Amino acid sequence: MALYTPRHFAGSDLREAIALIQAYGFATLVTAGHGEPQVTHLPLLWAAGGDHGVLEGHMARANPHWQRFADGHTLAIFHGPHAYVSPSWYVQPELQVPTWNYATVHATGTVEVIDDRDAKLDLVDRSAAVYEAGSACPWTRGVDGERLEALLRNIVAFRMPISRLDAKFKMSQNKTAADRAGVIARLEASGDTVQREVGRWMAAHE
């Protein structure tokens, strides 16, 4: 599952790719296998291990996607900040066309289902802790007993050692310094927080 990446936009720094996964952990998970591809949108955690790390997550047992994990490779797509770029922001707008700046990471691997009950619960608790970390009043699990066991039975936890990691940071690196400066200025002056974030990514990717 190759990602088209012109050399200007190739992300070669593993740390940057991991940082995007951790900052934008809500992924699109795709398993091709046989027949119609299975697609699920869900949060994933990155953990150290192997050459590129390991992704961990869980989904509803009623979701048929997990039954296809054994069919072949699975792809996790992480979308970072993205924004429209107007030709009017360049030095010579009459020579330009609209485009879109964005950052994305594709992680590929073979998924392993986690059957161990305690390992499954540990993953669920760690996932909640990660996303509750910024809360002024973080939630902690109070569910226990048969209610907890029923919830655990109704989910499938999994881990995916990453065998291939592709990062693409399309941030106008193929434009002149003056054009880049114009785009960054317009994005950073925007009232939209995502556009301002793209401006900061552009400044970091000369």
Side-chain angles (χ1 to χ4, degrees):
M1 301 184 192
L3 171 64
Y4 170 63
T5 310
R7 61 178 182 83
H8 301 292
F9 311 137
S12 57
D13 190 331
L14 178 61
R15 292 169 300 180
E16 284 189 323
I18 293 170
L20 186 146
I21 290 173
Q22 293 176 320
Y24 298 90
F26 191 73
T28 300
L29 197 71
V30 183
T31 302
H34 308 294
E36 185 177 20
Q38 294 292 311
V39 181
T40 300
H41 305 279
L42 75 178
L44 295 173
L45 300 182
W46 181 91
D51 293 332
H52 307 298
V54 177
L55 297 176
E56 300 174 302
H58 68 276
M59 62 178 62
R61 184 169 293 277
N63 184 344
H65 190 154
W66 69 270
Q67 297 176 6
R68 299 281 296 278
F69 285 152
D71 288 353
H73 287 100
T74 291
L75 170 68
I77 303 172
F78 298 88
H79 295 283
H82 58 90
Y84 173 75
V85 176
S86 170
S88 65
W89 300 348
Y90 295 113
V91 175
Q92 294 180 288
E94 69 279 6
L95 301 179
Q96 304 292 338
V97 294
T99 191
W100 207 278
N101 279 359
Y102 62 90
T104 187
V105 170
H106 288 196
T108 305
T110 300
V111 177
E112 306 164 354
V113 172
I114 299 172
D115 290 320
D116 181 79
R117 179 262 185 203
D118 292 339
K120 184 189 297 188
L121 178 58
D122 175 67
L123 172 57
V124 171
D125 284 344
R126 284 189 289 112
S127 298
V130 167
Y131 292 104
E132 290 285 340
S135 173
C137 185
W139 171 89
T140 55
R141 176 175 54 82
V143 179
D144 209 344
E146 182 50 37
R147 170 64 174 162
L148 174 61
E149 300 308 316
L151 291 170
L152 290 175
R153 286 194 296 271
N154 284 321
I155 64 171
V156 173
F158 60 89
R159 64 192 304 274
M160 185 180 86
I162 302 172
S163 58
R164 175 174 175 173
L165 194 64
D166 298 303
K168 183 175 182 179
F169 305 130
K170 183 182 177 295
M171 295 292 165
S172 300
Q173 298 97 320
N174 58 334
K175 300 297 183 182
T176 66
D179 280 338
R180 285 176 52 79
V183 174
I184 291 172
R186 292 300 294 267
L187 290 171
E188 291 187 337
S190 171
D192 185 284
T193 57
V194 176
Q195 289 190 341
R196 293 200 300 272
E197 181 67 10
V198 174
R200 287 192 288 270
W201 275 69
M202 284 187 63
H205 293 84
E206 296 289 346

